[in-house]
DNA sequence: TCAGTCGACGGGAACGATAACATCAGCCCC
DNA sequence: GGGGCTGATGTTATCGTTCCCGTCGACTGA
């Protein structure tokens, strides 16, 4: 910056101002600075700017996996809405593990983000402390935690699966199964299973047809294997709800391989409204949790919280939408 | 850090050393520092460390879209292999546009990454200049550029599609079509189309059955629409290669809706070995570009380049593997 | 004409760590 | 016993910006 200043014949302070568009610099000077910088190959150094101004321009985001269209959509929504505010996403993945999440959160906080968005509402005690001490807006997403850390933009995974159960029951199904992961690692998956059980009991139906398909997140392949197990052990099942569209599609593919008619012999529903759910034959009944909307709203909350630091914790509840398609008749 | 130092009764320098595991500090002191920091809720500030040490611990990565399982896998491979080296990924998306890429690269370079990984080998002139001036290792991936900027970890998209053409021709197909995006925006998609044309000509076959399915990246839905168009305009087509497995699955689903037998009436091949290709019925013939491997190797190159600054540009060619499945007989 | 205002720009200190060098006690070994 | 070495710690200056305050000339309006 010194060098650029010398080249233009101004002070470093003026160069600094020229690079930020807000400060009072004449257009002529600004243009001269830009050109000199471009010619010299100078690239502004945010690390120094960050230290002095105490503004990093980062928003930290944790998601379970980058290889998941739903979370990717949330990140995209966030990113799009944060960009005009001059904020950039610093992304990390937890691999569906709250221990990893704790470590990741610490890593991210060292970078001094201006806000942090986490997926889910279940964290280790130390992670909670870290987030509380960070003195920045915290947004929990994809869940409606009972004991929120700060702001919340999410929905009830249990209630969303309840909608699917209601839909199947309305179509006359009574022997309904649930395919999900087997551990408590994926808390959203667990919530969906619990939501299934609660809804079945509410209808006075048997809620014990639970197929555990391995360590979450369960893939198409695991969904297929789980369906094979279901067809063999509980062949009179009329409908099955899968923890995600991916496993639901795997289940559907297994039926196709075995010549089991869907929905004729067994109805299948998924979760997430992945693109595949609308494309495959028969198209899958699913629930749209509006992942992009979650990201967009989280960005709005961040903007509001940064604008007025005393803002009380916001709670934006998203209403997932049931999408009834051919796979459930 | 001052406060922690006071609490423990040492100098800030000792605290600094205690936080980095390499320096010579007694175990007792280190432990005392950790505990004091934990108790006081102190979180290490990388921004300051970064400025003085000129080490950010960032590796910048640009990908076209976060919502793509192939690129996500590359990022995962990178991330896993960089973590043990104490490097963290700073991710940005270009939305398949080299103008966006230019802007993104500038944004990322301001953060002073220690290396940068870009997807593809086509960039604006200014982006090339920025990368060359940055004086850090540059790794181009998912391509084998003729005029590389630095290191390369990739494969020839054209040759990969050539393998698929060879496979179909070996199975007796002569009237083969290609479904892809319509613009030059997605350079890898364009390379695949050109590779298709070249391979067809090499076999002395008609290479004009090209279906343009809209602005890249083309989705399942667009693949389905393109297949509808293909079946209507060129009904004697024996096989079709799609620019990705997603569009290939869309094409397959359209055949299923129309009762067109796959592979009996028309064979379908995709690209990318997405999970869906191995799950759907019939399973899709595809090409595995080993995206995770690309990420892993890129991380290796980064490690080598950071260890020995004079390292000549590396060129790691990945050999994509054809996976023949039921969809091509 | 002159006080007041405003826009454009400069000087010096500071953000919170760490590189580089200095110090110092304890130990080893001839 | 003293020189040399090693491990643990302290001191000073510094990374490249920006905050804070100040200066200076031009313009305005009575």
């Amino acid at each position: 910056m010194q060098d650029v200043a010398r080249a233009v014949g101004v002070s470093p302070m003026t160069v600094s101002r020229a690079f930020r568009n807000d400060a009072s610099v004449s257009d002529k000077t600004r243009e001269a600075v830009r050109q000199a910088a471009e010619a010299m190959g100078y690239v502004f150094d945010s690390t120094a700017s960050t230290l002095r101004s105490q503004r990093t321009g980062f928003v930290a985001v944790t998601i379970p996996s980058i290889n998941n269209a739903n979370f990717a959509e949330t990140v995209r929504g966030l990113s799009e809405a944060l960009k005009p505010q001059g904020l950039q996403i610093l992304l990390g993945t937890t691999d569906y593990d709250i221990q990893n999440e704790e470590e990741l959160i610490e890593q991210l906080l060292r970078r001094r983000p201006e806000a942090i968005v986490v997926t889910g509402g279940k964290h280790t005690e130390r992670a909670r402390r870290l987030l509380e001490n960070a003195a920045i807006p915290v947004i929990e997403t994809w869940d409606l935690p009972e004991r929120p850390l700060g702001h919340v933009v999410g929905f009830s995974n249990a209630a969303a699966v309840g909608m699917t159960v209601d839909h199947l029951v309305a179509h006359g199904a009574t022997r309904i199964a649930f395919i999900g992961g087997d551990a408590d690692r994926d808390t959203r998956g667990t919530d969906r299973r619990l939501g299934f059980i609660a809804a079945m009991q509410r209808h006075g139906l048997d809620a014990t047809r639970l197929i555990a398909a391995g360590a979450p997140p369960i893939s198409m392949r695991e969904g297929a294997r789980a369906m094979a197990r279901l067809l063999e052990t509980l062949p009179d099942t009329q409908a099955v709800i899968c923890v995600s569209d991916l496993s639901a599609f795997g289940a559907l593919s297994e039926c196709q391989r075995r010549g089991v008619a869907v929905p004729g012999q067994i109805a299948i529903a998924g979760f997430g409204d992945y693109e595949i759910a609308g494309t495959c034959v028969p198209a899958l009944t699913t629930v749209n949790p509006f992942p992009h909307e979650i990201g967009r709203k989280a960005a709005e909350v961040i903007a509001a919280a940064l604008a007025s630091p005393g803002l009380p914790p916001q709670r934006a509840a998203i209403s997932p939408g049931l999408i009834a398609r051919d796979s459930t008749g």
Side-chain angles (χ1 to χ4, degrees), chain A:
Chain A
M1 195 175 251
Q2 296 270 10
D3 300 342
V4 175
R6 245 194 310 276
V8 182
V10 294
S11 75
M13 194 61 239
T14 303
V15 176
S16 168
R17 278 193 269 250
F19 271 95
R20 296 170 287 168
N21 292 331
D22 51 86
S24 78
V25 191
S26 73
D27 288 350
K28 208 181 53 173
T29 310
R30 187 190 308 279
E31 197 42 45
V33 168
R34 300 246 159 170
Q35 285 185 14
E38 191 66 34
M40 302 171 64
Y42 165 79
V43 176
F44 184 87
D45 189 333
S46 312
T47 65
S49 160
T50 268
L51 178 60
R52 174 66 243 219
S53 67
Q54 301 292 68
R55 294 203 59 234
T56 55
F58 277 139
V59 170
V61 179
T62 77
I63 55 176
S65 162
I66 189 178
N67 198 342
N68 176 297
N70 274 342
F71 299 131
E73 267 305 295
T74 294
V75 172
R76 208 167 61 81
L78 257 169
S79 182
E80 284 171 5
L82 289 175
K83 197 173 175 187
Q85 301 176 51
L87 294 170
Q88 189 177 2
I89 285 182
L90 186 57
L91 187 67
T93 56
T94 66
D95 203 21
Y96 294 89
D97 182 317
I98 62 172
Q99 286 299 332
N100 287 345
E101 189 198 46
E102 174 187 315
E103 202 181 325
L104 176 63
I105 285 172
E106 184 169 16
Q107 287 291 328
L108 293 173
L109 290 179
R110 290 182 169 199
R111 302 281 185 187
R112 296 291 186 268
E114 301 184 30
I116 181 165
V117 179
V118 297
T119 303
K122 197 180 163 201
H123 318 283
T124 65
E125 270 311 313
R126 179 152 178 278
R128 294 187 70 91
R129 269 205 312 279
L130 286 167
L131 291 171
E132 279 163 359
N133 289 340
I136 55 174
V138 175
I139 298 97
E140 291 170 289
T141 60
W142 279 86
D143 202 353
L144 290 179
E146 288 174 19
R147 197 164 57 113
L149 280 159
H151 310 290
V152 174
V153 179
F155 61 92
S156 162
N157 283 274
V161 169
M163 289 168 54
T164 312
V165 170
D166 293 349
H167 166 76
L168 293 173
V169 170
H171 277 62
T174 53
R175 295 185 297 279
I176 308 174
F178 183 86
I179 288 176
D182 50 18
D184 282 347
R185 225 160 76 98
D186 174 14
T187 58
R188 281 158 301 288
T190 305
D191 285 351
R192 289 176 206 158
R193 189 182 67 224
L194 295 177
F196 168 77
I197 294 172
M200 290 296 280
Q201 288 173 347
R202 177 159 45 78
H203 285 288
L205 297 173
D206 170 31
T208 62
R209 295 177 185 242
L210 304 169
I211 306 287
I218 66 171
S219 61
M220 292 182 185
R221 211 172 311 277
E222 288 160 323
R225 268 207 297 274
M227 182 54 123
R229 198 132 51 85
L230 178 63
L231 291 172
E232 281 155 20
T233 58
L234 299 161
D236 63 339
T237 301
Q238 298 167 309
V240 57
I241 297 173
C242 299
V243 73
S244 82
D245 285 349
L246 304 181
S247 44
F249 177 75
L252 170 61
S253 73
E254 185 63 23
C255 291
Q256 292 176 337
R257 270 186 291 275
R258 291 171 177 244
V260 172
V262 176
Q265 217 166 324
I266 188 166
I268 300 179
F271 189 98
D273 194 25
Y274 291 68
E275 192 188 11
I276 195 172
T279 306
C280 65
V281 183
L284 286 169
T285 291
T286 188
V287 173
N288 186 353
F290 301 110
H292 191 273
E293 181 73 3
I294 291 177
R296 213 183 49 68
K297 279 215 177 154
E300 270 177 27
V301 171
I302 290 171
L306 292 180
S308 44
L311 194 75
Q314 306 289 108
R315 186 185 182 85
I318 304 280
S319 296
L322 180 78
I323 303 177
R325 296 208 184 97
D326 296 343
S327 70
T328 54

